[in-house]
Amino acid sequence: MSQKGRKSCLALVFLTGMLLPVTTAAQQPSLNLMPLPAKAQLGTGSLHVDSAFTVALTGYQEPRLERAVARFLHQLALQTALPVSQKPAKSATASLVIQTDHASKEIQELGEDESYMLEISSSVAKLTAPTPLGTLHGLQTFLQLVEVSPDGFAAPVITIQDQPRFPWRGLMIDSARHFTPVDVLRRNLDGMEAVKMNVFHWHLSENQGFRAESRRYPKLHQLGSDDLYYTQDEMREIIAYARDRGIRVVPEFDMPGHSTAWFVGHPELASGKGPYQIERRWGIFDPAMDPTNEKLYKFLDELIGEMARVFPDHFFHVGGDEVNGKEWDANPAIQQYMKAYGLKDNAALQSYFNKRLQPIVAKHGKSMIGWDEVLDPTLPKDITIQSWRGQASLAQAAKLGYRGLLSNGYYLDLGWSAARHYAVDPISGDATNLSPEQKQLILGGESCMWSEYVNPENIDSRIWPRNAAVAERLWSPQEVADPVSMYERLDFISGRLEWLGLRHRSYYRIMLQRIAGSSATPAEFAALKTLADVVEPVKDYTREKTAPAEPTSATPMNRVVDAVPLESEAGRHFGELIDKFVSASCLDTDVAAQLRAQFAAWRDNDAKLQPLAQRSFLVKEAAPTSADLSALGSIGLTALDLLVKGAMPSDSWKAQQRAATEQIKKPKAQLLLIPAPAVQKLIEAAAAGGTCATRN
Amino acid sequence: MSQKGRKSCLALVFLTGMLLPVTTAAQQPSLNLMPLPAKAQLGTGSLHVDSAFTVALTGYQEPRLERAVARFLHQLALQTALPVSQKPAKSATASLVIQTDHASKEIQELGEDESYMLEISSSVAKLTAPTPLGTLHGLQTFLQLVEVSPDGFAAPVITIQDQPRFPWRGLMIDSARHFTPVDVLRRNLDGMEAVKMNVFHWHLSENQGFRAESRRYPKLHQLGSDDLYYTQDEMREIIAYARDRGIRVVPEFDMPGHSTAWFVGHPELASGKGPYQIERRWGIFDPAMDPTNEKLYKFLDELIGEMARVFPDHFFHVGGDEVNGKEWDANPAIQQYMKAYGLKDNAALQSYFNKRLQPIVAKHGKSMIGWDEVLDPTLPKDITIQSWRGQASLAQAAKLGYRGLLSNGYYLDLGWSAARHYAVDPISGDATNLSPEQKQLILGGESCMWSEYVNPENIDSRIWPRNAAVAERLWSPQEVADPVSMYERLDFISGRLEWLGLRHRSYYRIMLQRIAGSSATPAEFAALKTLADVVEPVKDYTREKTAPAEPTSATPMNRVVDAVPLESEAGRHFGELIDKFVSASCLDTDVAAQLRAQFAAWRDNDAKLQPLAQRSFLVKEAAPTSADLSALGSIGLTALDLLVKGAMPSDSWKAQQRAATEQIKKPKAQLLLIPAPAVQKLIEAAAAGGTCATRN
């Protein structure tokens, strides 16, 4: 199917159940929204947005809504550079009239009404929502609709009725392995608001750091954080900031494992002898709390009580993952205890711990949430499971009556493509066959930003824009699932997110500049960028396995692997071009010319980069990949020539090219050369003989 | 002379009076410093800079120095991404040992010792300075020397003895016409520190705004600022921030003209009847203080007293420029007064005002500084003249015994090239013939950022990187004057300034994105950038004259003219390429190929941009310039063909091309197409007949 034909079909897919005037090819895509709304009906014409634009609040009012309007107007001014007045307007004359029916809960709750209706005519816009939560979402939708037009800025005439598919749409940030400064958190909360996510899951303790100030047990943060921790004021400030944006904050204190940093100040809680140091390496480690120690529960009661007063949310995350049990095995007293109480294995011991923990959490008014491992049918049904293991685990929990959310498939640090995350649905696999009631127990999902390899400089690029694809998966109807449309809108939202101060694009040149050094000529820098644009870090957990030296929290993040985005846009576009070329029923000479120019540029790139590799150790590390890119360019050119000439290659040519690209596909310096598989497709097309025309 | 030969010569020019091991062509330029130091001797080898890098303070110590070291280490960590420890080290083991001899003045003064010596060996670095001011400068030099190398980060073995040529090296920011938020000021103070500027001249009052909180006369800021003003706490915070960076803060309260905003709350000070409104337009306006009103001096005594307590600097700027005298002429009482006291004209009246003002300023412990117009031989010699008129005016003041500083030639808002600013020397023209004592009265200079067309989004790009060229002019020896070297190092420092948070590069894509709109395809966006990269806003005061509608403080700054840098890098590089091509003694086929590719890209660019011009009014405005660029590409190709073929063009061809490029040179939408004059050179080369080879 042609590109154009595909687009029209997609437009229909998005807007199932709606009457939509089909746009002609000459018109631009008019629904640049992410996440896509539940229902939208596009009209004709547009609402002009100029310096006179005003907003009026009617119905229920509160300071949070006033601040939301001020933020909206500020954002509108940033997007358009129009000097929009920040003053509130009267509803009779306002450009945008907001009607909020009633208050939302004083402490934002799971499952509150987040719906809104946005009606834009050519003269006025009206946003209606039952609660401020819907109003907040509707304002973000409006901002996304404002666009430059032939005669100024404008929003299209449209009616949108929208509400989320799932009530729990979260982003977890691991602020423990690497500390996340508050300004970084703030701008990421801004990004979450833009894509309508509503839970910030804050991973606050780990082997590598205890990041929350405890006044009750100050040795936790004083000895367990290298002085990188959040004061209680800062945590309250982040909670208020999130609440203003319709986002709940769920803290996680991971126990009984992942807790070495606790033991630096409190070795008496551990199952081993100690003393303990803050862990600097990554992985799963032995230290674990001693579930047989009565003093532990007293301690946790006090600490959870303190943190429950800081964090108003009804959920409290206790972690519970990845206890290797080695300290338990090695402790005779624990072994003795297990025998005495009939705890047959470490799983039983952890289950015992959770049964003691749950009432403590409940006592402080919270509902306990933990990773898969906390699932135990003998625990109360109030517990929620966050699944890093997958939909099967989630379905199992739902069948047992437990609520759950999906994170498997949404681990942003694994370097998956947006499309791969996007294809993961909480209600899929085993979950498809659940009863409607059981399905209701699947609350949604959370993307996870584990922070072994992120710092304030590159973290935005590890979260965005891919997180927007997860946000859409959790907000939009299940049928909204086309990756081509998703990528178009992802490019759109990615640019928009920069207005919010996110640095997922601007960080890149700055990091490449460090790698190149100031002595780089413009041509050398361009060569470095040409290479960097088509590589990605190795995926999943390969980074640990292939590290040149054991990585620690002190390892500098200044290498090419730290600088390049986790999904190469250029690589993706090249792959699409190759697919188009090899699947065409006749030779597309335009595409052939594009490919030829691309291959030639790659072939010649290494020679341009070599002098820089002599001067910068950070470039030098990528030199083998640079050589591979040149080789790939040459291979591509020969394959292209064969296809254009319609010549049949020799068997030795085929064998050589296949072997060469296999070599090229092997990661070097933890970098994957993304175009390699696409070039293999070209080789196979050539190997099949003749031109595309003769093959079809 | 070949490029290589030129570079070697330049290296000698920079380092007059120094012994320098001449670098081979294979080595990289090793003195990437801006401003260049007074003396430097490069050694062999380098000091390795890794995570173990430490700093020790010896000799005189103070909290400011400790903060400077912490900032230095933070900056080093940003540049290298090395996890450098922030903890102070012992001098015996530190990588960088700082020896500061004694304190500088409690309130930083004009002419304090700012010298330092930096000695870097392959094992340790030593920074020695008489005062903390020199230490601050030396730390910046060290940061500039740290560079990526073949085996990690390193600083070269070098000995630098450095001190400034002028004691007053300033940047004026007009925070009155458009308000400058404090975070913008902070990052620009960081930039000033990096290039060793030491005076921030803060233009705080204007017709368009009174930006300083006055507790004595709160109507000044309450009615005269649209609520955009600095609280006294904020001003003190900026002063402290500047002092930490070796920068004095000189406030300017412009009087008796440029003062409409004062009169909104205090019409009784004015010479007209009032009432007054905040001025929204740009230009010179009639309102002026009434110098015959005794109450005015009482008011100014109180206000200056209040501000003198906020601003500790010994200098107090009273403006004094551009009084058109119309309100004075129209006020019978003033005319009567002038007659009674023998004040023969408005200049005499202003002189009378200044004579009353100066003792008030002096009474509050300050030395008065004003623009050229305050010069009056009957005033005390304590007055300092800031010249917007030029060196002649400055020389005249010096001959009369007044101190002065140059700003003529350093107006950053006029859009001059860095090279043009760089060529302006305070001691040139009439000043060359001054006696040594008179030359001492020329204190230095100040670049000026007048803010009619800047906002927080684009202001950094209007100041940087060009301001670094002015900074070098004022710091480095007069012989350091080669623009080719300057531009090489300007590119270097421009990248470095981004580590400080300046946005003079990163703003660009964001503004272009707004202009293009989210519907732009990557190819369309690239076409917009190709165009934007080679245009500049019209120069000097042409912008007012050519404005499509009278510009005001409410005019959105979202057009191409607001987005493009004031000096086009691509335009400059193209000009250099053409110069190289037409001056070569034989046809350079490599350059010819480069030019051909460039011309072809320009020729084809308009067709790519046209669809976007249909959709965005902000692109549409630039459509005529886009058409011009295409035409220029075609013209360039024909001229190139003639030169390559050695063919003699017809007279009608010459006439046509000359006429066409003259048309192209005319600004459209306030945009100049920068490559046009260079293409004219190519036309003339072709018109002269034959190939380059045959012509030479």
Side-chain angles (χ1 to χ4, degrees):
Chain A
M1 196 185 281
S2 78
Q3 194 69 16
K4 191 175 136 196
R6 269 162 76 194
K7 275 194 190 171
S8 311
C9 293
L10 295 169
L12 295 177
V13 170
F14 302 153
L15 303 159
T16 41
M18 282 175 278
L19 256 168
L20 179 85
V22 176
T23 57
T24 69
Q27 288 180 298
Q28 279 313 298
S30 42
L31 221 52
N32 253 337
L33 291 172
M34 195 156 204
L36 276 178
K39 284 187 190 170
Q41 176 144 7
L42 200 59
T44 329
S46 60
L47 173 70
H48 206 65
V49 175
D50 59 21
S51 304
F53 189 90
T54 52
V55 180
L57 281 169
T58 66
Y60 171 74
Q61 304 204 14
E62 62 176 19
R64 173 169 64 163
L65 283 171
E66 286 163 24
R67 290 193 296 272
V69 168
R71 207 165 62 241
F72 167 87
L73 288 168
H74 176 73
Q75 195 59 28
L76 189 66
L78 273 183
Q79 281 184 208
T80 60
L82 293 170
V84 179
S85 166
Q86 307 286 315
K87 286 175 189 154
K90 287 182 182 159
S91 61
T93 57
S95 321
L96 169 63
V97 180
I98 296 170
Q99 162 70 32
T100 312
D101 292 342
H102 55 77
S104 61
K105 296 285 169 64
E106 198 172 322
I107 293 163
Q108 190 175 328
E109 282 181 19
L110 176 71
E112 283 196 74
D113 192 331
E114 298 182 82
S115 70
Y116 68 92
M117 182 154 102
L118 180 61
E119 298 159 284
I120 304 179
S121 76
S122 58
S123 57
V124 70
K126 187 159 199 239
L127 170 59
T128 319
T131 80
L133 301 177
T135 306
L136 291 170
H137 294 316
L139 286 171
Q140 294 301 317
T141 302
F142 190 95
L143 283 173
Q144 290 191 13
L145 288 168
V146 175
E147 184 54 275
V148 73
S149 84
D151 55 353
F153 290 93
V157 169
I158 196 167
T159 298
I160 290 175
Q161 276 182 296
D162 201 9
Q163 74 281 325
R165 178 174 166 219
F166 291 107
W168 189 306
R169 307 176 306 281
L171 167 64
M172 188 219 72
I173 295 181
D174 170 7
S175 295
R177 285 181 176 78
H178 276 102
F179 185 69
T180 329
V182 285
D183 62 323
V184 177
L185 293 177
R186 266 191 233 112
R187 66 188 191 227
N188 278 286
L189 287 164
D190 290 339
M192 289 174 70
E193 182 188 27
V195 297
K196 300 182 170 60
M197 276 189 155
N198 68 352
V199 180
F200 168 41
H201 169 173
W202 201 354
H203 189 78
L204 281 165
S205 75
E206 257 305 336
N207 298 311
Q208 293 82 3
F210 190 99
R211 306 296 182 191
E213 179 199 14
S214 169
R215 293 177 188 168
R216 180 66 188 83
Y217 298 111
K219 282 193 284 186
L220 284 171
H221 66 275
Q222 283 170 2
L223 299 179
S225 78
D226 300 306
D227 273 342
L228 292 170
Y229 64 90
Y230 306 100
T231 65
Q232 295 200 355
D233 283 348
E234 285 171 332
M235 293 187 285
R236 289 201 171 89
E237 190 262 321
I238 287 292
I239 292 161
Y241 193 91
R243 177 177 162 78
D244 258 15
R245 286 153 182 78
I247 299 168
R248 298 163 40 214
V249 179
V250 176
E252 176 182 352
F253 292 89
D254 204 345
M255 49 191 133
H258 283 285
S259 50
T260 310
W262 304 48
F263 306 148
V264 184
H266 290 279
E268 74 277 10
L269 305 178
S271 306
K273 280 194 184 127
Y276 292 89
Q277 303 295 324
I278 295 174
E279 183 56 59
R280 307 291 171 193
R281 298 162 299 166
W282 313 129
I284 298 171
F285 298 95
D286 302 346
M289 294 172 188
D290 178 359
T292 70
N293 177 359
E294 278 308 311
K295 285 182 188 156
L296 171 67
Y297 301 104
K298 174 86 183 91
F299 183 99
L300 292 178
D301 187 10
E302 297 268 332
L303 180 70
I304 291 171
E306 179 184 20
M307 293 305 158
R309 288 186 294 276
V310 174
F311 290 92
D313 199 78
H314 295 300
F315 287 82
F316 195 93
H317 205 301
V318 298
D321 53 324
E322 299 180 327
V323 185
N324 71 13
K326 288 191 185 168
E327 276 200 351
W328 294 344
D329 296 340
N331 183 323
I334 292 175
Q335 292 305 313
Q336 179 70 27
Y337 188 98
M338 286 169 73
K339 222 171 273 175
Y341 289 88
L343 300 167
K344 67 179 189 329
D345 56 15
N346 287 334
L349 183 59
Q350 186 169 353
S351 173
Y352 166 78
F353 171 76
N354 286 329
K355 272 183 212 135
R356 296 291 305 269
L357 187 60
Q358 191 275 334
I360 295 173
V361 172
K363 170 185 158 189
H364 295 292
K366 306 295 183 188
S367 181
M368 184 164 120
I369 171 168
W371 300 98
D372 298 83
E373 291 94 325
V374 305
L375 181 62
D376 173 346
T378 66
L379 280 168
K381 300 301 177 205
D382 177 49
I383 282 180
T384 305
I385 305 301
Q386 177 167 17
S387 180
W388 63 270
R389 287 180 177 163
Q391 286 94 337
S393 173
L394 209 57
Q396 186 200 349
K399 280 179 194 157
L400 293 169
Y402 292 99
R403 293 181 296 185
L405 38 122
L406 186 66
S407 279
N408 179 290
Y410 301 143
Y411 271 27
L412 298 172
D413 52 306
L414 299 188
W416 295 12
S417 69
R420 191 169 167 196
H421 288 306
Y422 194 61
V424 175
D425 197 295
I427 312 280
S428 63
D430 287 2
T432 318
N433 300 320
L434 295 174
S435 72
E437 293 70 28
Q438 288 168 341
K439 280 182 183 168
Q440 287 291 319
L441 294 172
I442 297 180
L443 304 174
E446 275 187 8
S447 49
C448 292
M449 179 73 262
W450 299 107
S451 68
E452 283 90 343
Y453 300 107
V454 301
N455 64 9
E457 189 172 39
N458 72 358
I459 186 171
D460 293 1
S461 75
R462 274 53 189 144
I463 298 176
W464 307 99
R466 294 174 306 138
N467 186 49
V470 179
E472 174 157 295
R473 169 61 43 247
L474 298 173
W475 176 281
S476 303
Q478 188 164 21
E479 314 82 72
V480 176
D482 184 84
V484 176
S485 157
M486 180 275 287
Y487 273 123
E488 281 175 2
R489 291 174 298 103
L490 195 70
D491 283 349
F492 154 78
I493 195 80
S494 185
R496 291 292 177 112
L497 289 168
E498 289 202 314
W499 302 119
L500 299 170
L502 284 166
R503 301 187 190 166
H504 57 294
R505 287 184 162 182
S506 61
Y507 87 103
Y508 183 46
R509 197 181 55 183
I510 293 175
M511 286 192 79
L512 288 186
Q513 202 171 291
R514 176 191 294 131
I515 290 164
S518 317
S519 79
T521 64
E524 287 169 343
F525 187 83
L528 174 62
K529 187 166 182 301
T530 296
L531 173 65
D533 279 354
V534 291
V535 298
E536 291 175 12
V538 288
K539 305 290 155 189
D540 299 307
Y541 296 102
T542 316
R543 181 130 180 210
E544 266 91 344
K545 291 174 202 150
T546 58
E550 182 172 14
T552 72
S553 50
T555 302
M557 281 182 261
N558 53 17
R559 299 161 60 211
V560 172
V561 70
D562 299 305
V564 295
L566 299 194
E567 181 170 16
S568 157
E569 270 185 50
R572 173 164 60 83
H573 290 145
F574 176 76
E576 289 163 2
L577 203 62
I578 289 281
D579 284 345
K580 186 178 172 189
F581 186 68
V582 300
S583 67
S585 56
C586 53
L587 187 80
D588 188 328
T589 51
D590 280 357
V591 176
Q594 267 182 275
L595 288 174
R596 183 175 301 282
Q598 181 67 84
F599 287 135
W602 286 344
R603 179 197 57 198
D604 302 339
N605 199 62
D606 189 46
K608 293 176 187 163
L609 189 61
Q610 276 306 327
L612 198 60
Q614 308 290 314
R615 303 201 301 278
S616 163
F617 74 108
L618 295 169
V619 176
K620 192 182 185 70
E621 193 193 9
T625 313
S626 175
D628 280 355
L629 182 63
S630 280
L632 203 63
S634 298
I635 292 170
L637 282 171
T638 60
L640 194 62
D641 279 343
L642 287 165
L643 283 163
V644 169
K645 287 181 197 151
M648 189 67 184
S650 67
D651 286 345
S652 78
W653 181 90
K654 294 177 198 172
Q656 270 178 6
Q657 310 316 316
R658 284 169 184 154
T661 46
E662 279 307 313
Q663 277 303 317
I664 288 171
K665 278 168 77 180
K666 290 185 184 156
K668 283 133 202 140
Q670 307 186 289
L671 296 171
L672 293 166
L673 196 55
I674 299 307
V679 173
Q680 280 188 320
K681 288 188 194 171
L682 200 68
I683 293 168
E684 293 312 319
T691 65
C692 303
T694 56
R695 279 188 298 113
N696 280 271
Chain B
M1 196 185 280
S2 79
Q3 195 70 12
K4 189 175 135 194
R6 269 162 77 196
K7 274 194 190 171
S8 312
C9 292
L10 295 168
L12 295 177
V13 170
F14 303 153
L15 303 160
T16 41
M18 281 174 279
L19 256 168
L20 181 84
V22 176
T23 58
T24 69
Q27 289 180 298
Q28 278 312 298
S30 41
L31 221 52
N32 252 338
L33 292 171
M34 195 155 203
L36 275 178
K39 284 187 191 168
Q41 176 145 6
L42 200 59
T44 329
S46 59
L47 174 70
H48 206 64
V49 175
D50 59 21
S51 304
F53 190 89
T54 53
V55 181
L57 281 169
T58 67
Y60 171 74
Q61 303 204 17
E62 62 176 21
R64 174 169 62 163
L65 284 171
E66 287 163 21
R67 289 193 297 272
V69 169
R71 208 164 61 241
F72 167 87
L73 288 169
H74 176 72
Q75 194 59 28
L76 189 66
L78 274 183
Q79 281 184 208
T80 60
L82 293 170
V84 178
S85 165
Q86 308 286 313
K87 286 176 189 154
K90 287 184 182 155
S91 60
T93 56
S95 321
L96 170 62
V97 180
I98 296 171
Q99 161 70 31
T100 311
D101 291 343
H102 55 79
S104 61
K105 296 285 169 66
E106 199 172 323
I107 294 162
Q108 190 176 328
E109 282 182 19
L110 176 70
E112 284 195 75
D113 193 332
E114 298 181 83
S115 69
Y116 69 91
M117 183 154 103
L118 181 61
E119 298 159 283
I120 304 179
S121 76
S122 58
S123 58
V124 70
K126 187 161 197 242
L127 170 60
T128 321
T131 80
L133 301 177
T135 306
L136 291 170
H137 295 315
L139 286 172
Q140 293 301 316
T141 301
F142 190 94
L143 283 172
Q144 291 190 11
L145 287 168
V146 175
E147 183 55 276
V148 73
S149 83
D151 55 354
F153 290 93
V157 169
I158 197 168
T159 299
I160 289 175
Q161 276 181 295
D162 201 9
Q163 74 280 327
R165 179 174 165 218
F166 291 108
W168 188 305
R169 306 175 308 280
L171 167 64
M172 189 218 73
I173 294 181
D174 171 8
S175 295
R177 285 180 176 83
H178 277 102
F179 184 70
T180 329
V182 287
D183 62 323
V184 177
L185 292 178
R186 264 190 236 115
R187 65 188 191 226
N188 277 284
L189 286 165
D190 290 339
M192 289 175 69
E193 182 188 26
V195 297
K196 302 182 169 59
M197 277 189 153
N198 67 353
V199 180
F200 168 43
H201 168 173
W202 202 355
H203 188 77
L204 281 164
S205 77
E206 257 304 336
N207 298 311
Q208 293 83 2
F210 190 98
R211 305 295 181 192
E213 178 199 15
S214 170
R215 293 176 188 169
R216 180 67 189 83
Y217 298 111
K219 282 194 285 187
L220 284 171
H221 68 274
Q222 283 170 2
L223 299 179
S225 78
D226 300 305
D227 274 342
L228 293 169
Y229 64 89
Y230 305 100
T231 65
Q232 295 200 354
D233 282 348
E234 285 172 332
M235 293 187 285
R236 288 202 173 88
E237 189 262 321
I238 288 292
I239 292 160
Y241 194 90
R243 177 178 162 77
D244 258 15
R245 286 152 183 78
I247 298 168
R248 299 162 40 215
V249 180
V250 176
E252 177 182 352
F253 292 90
D254 205 345
M255 48 189 135
H258 283 285
S259 50
T260 309
W262 305 47
F263 306 148
V264 183
H266 290 279
E268 74 279 8
L269 305 177
S271 306
K273 279 193 186 127
Y276 292 89
Q277 302 296 323
I278 294 175
E279 182 57 58
R280 307 290 172 193
R281 297 161 300 166
W282 313 129
I284 298 171
F285 299 96
D286 303 346
M289 294 172 188
D290 178 359
T292 72
N293 177 358
E294 279 307 311
K295 285 181 188 155
L296 171 66
Y297 301 105
K298 174 86 183 90
F299 183 99
L300 292 179
D301 187 10
E302 297 267 333
L303 180 69
I304 291 170
E306 180 184 19
M307 293 304 159
R309 287 186 294 277
V310 174
F311 290 92
D313 198 77
H314 296 300
F315 287 82
F316 194 94
H317 205 300
V318 298
D321 53 323
E322 301 179 327
V323 185
N324 71 14
K326 286 189 185 170
E327 276 201 351
W328 293 345
D329 295 341
N331 182 322
I334 292 175
Q335 292 304 312
Q336 180 69 29
Y337 189 97
M338 287 170 71
K339 222 170 270 172
Y341 290 86
L343 299 166
K344 65 179 194 325
D345 57 14
N346 286 336
L349 183 59
Q350 186 170 353
S351 173
Y352 166 78
F353 171 75
N354 285 329
K355 272 183 211 132
R356 296 290 305 270
L357 187 59
Q358 190 275 332
I360 294 172
V361 173
K363 171 186 157 188
H364 295 293
K366 304 296 182 187
S367 183
M368 183 164 121
I369 171 168
W371 300 98
D372 297 85
E373 292 94 323
V374 305
L375 181 61
D376 173 346
T378 66
L379 281 168
K381 300 301 177 206
D382 176 49
I383 282 180
T384 304
I385 305 301
Q386 177 168 17
S387 181
W388 62 271
R389 288 181 176 161
Q391 287 93 337
S393 172
L394 209 55
Q396 187 199 348
K399 279 180 195 156
L400 292 168
Y402 292 99
R403 293 181 296 185
L405 38 122
L406 187 67
S407 278
N408 178 291
Y410 300 142
Y411 271 29
L412 298 172
D413 53 304
L414 298 188
W416 294 13
S417 69
R420 192 170 166 195
H421 288 306
Y422 194 61
V424 175
D425 197 295
I427 313 280
S428 63
D430 288 2
T432 316
N433 301 319
L434 295 174
S435 71
E437 293 72 27
Q438 288 166 341
K439 281 181 183 168
Q440 287 291 320
L441 294 172
I442 297 180
L443 304 175
E446 273 186 10
S447 49
C448 293
M449 180 73 264
W450 298 106
S451 67
E452 283 91 343
Y453 300 108
V454 301
N455 64 8
E457 189 172 40
N458 72 359
I459 186 169
D460 293 1
S461 76
R462 275 50 190 147
I463 297 175
W464 306 99
R466 296 173 306 138
N467 187 50
V470 179
E472 172 157 294
R473 169 64 41 249
L474 299 172
W475 176 281
S476 303
Q478 189 164 21
E479 313 82 71
V480 176
D482 184 83
V484 176
S485 157
M486 181 276 288
Y487 273 123
E488 281 175 2
R489 289 173 301 106
L490 196 70
D491 284 348
F492 154 77
I493 195 81
S494 185
R496 293 290 178 114
L497 288 168
E498 289 201 316
W499 302 119
L500 298 170
L502 283 165
R503 301 184 190 172
H504 58 293
R505 287 184 162 180
S506 60
Y507 86 106
Y508 183 47
R509 195 181 57 184
I510 293 174
M511 286 192 79
L512 288 186
Q513 201 170 293
R514 177 192 293 132
I515 290 165
S518 318
S519 79
T521 64
E524 288 169 343
F525 188 84
L528 174 62
K529 188 165 181 300
T530 296
L531 174 65
D533 279 352
V534 291
V535 299
E536 291 175 12
V538 289
K539 306 287 154 188
D540 300 308
Y541 296 102
T542 316
R543 180 131 180 209
E544 266 88 345
K545 291 175 200 149
T546 58
E550 182 172 14
T552 72
S553 49
T555 303
M557 280 183 263
N558 53 17
R559 299 161 60 212
V560 173
V561 70
D562 298 304
V564 294
L566 299 193
E567 181 170 16
S568 157
E569 269 185 51
R572 173 163 61 80
H573 290 145
F574 176 76
E576 290 164 1
L577 203 62
I578 289 281
D579 285 345
K580 186 178 173 188
F581 187 67
V582 299
S583 68
S585 56
C586 54
L587 188 80
D588 187 327
T589 50
D590 280 357
V591 176
Q594 267 182 276
L595 289 174
R596 183 176 304 281
Q598 180 68 83
F599 287 135
W602 286 345
R603 179 197 58 197
D604 302 338
N605 198 63
D606 189 46
K608 294 175 186 162
L609 189 61
Q610 276 306 326
L612 197 60
Q614 310 287 315
R615 303 201 301 277
S616 163
F617 74 108
L618 294 169
V619 176
K620 193 182 184 71
E621 193 193 8
T625 313
S626 175
D628 280 356
L629 181 63
S630 282
L632 203 63
S634 298
I635 292 171
L637 283 171
T638 61
L640 195 62
D641 280 344
L642 287 164
L643 282 164
V644 169
K645 287 180 196 151
M648 187 70 185
S650 67
D651 287 346
S652 78
W653 181 89
K654 296 177 196 171
Q656 270 178 5
Q657 310 315 317
R658 285 169 184 154
T661 46
E662 279 307 314
Q663 278 301 319
I664 288 171
K665 278 168 76 180
K666 289 185 184 158
K668 283 132 203 142
Q670 309 188 288
L671 297 172
L672 293 166
L673 197 54
I674 299 307
V679 173
Q680 280 189 320
K681 286 187 194 171
L682 200 69
I683 293 167
E684 293 313 319
T691 65
C692 302
T694 57
R695 279 187 298 110
N696 280 270

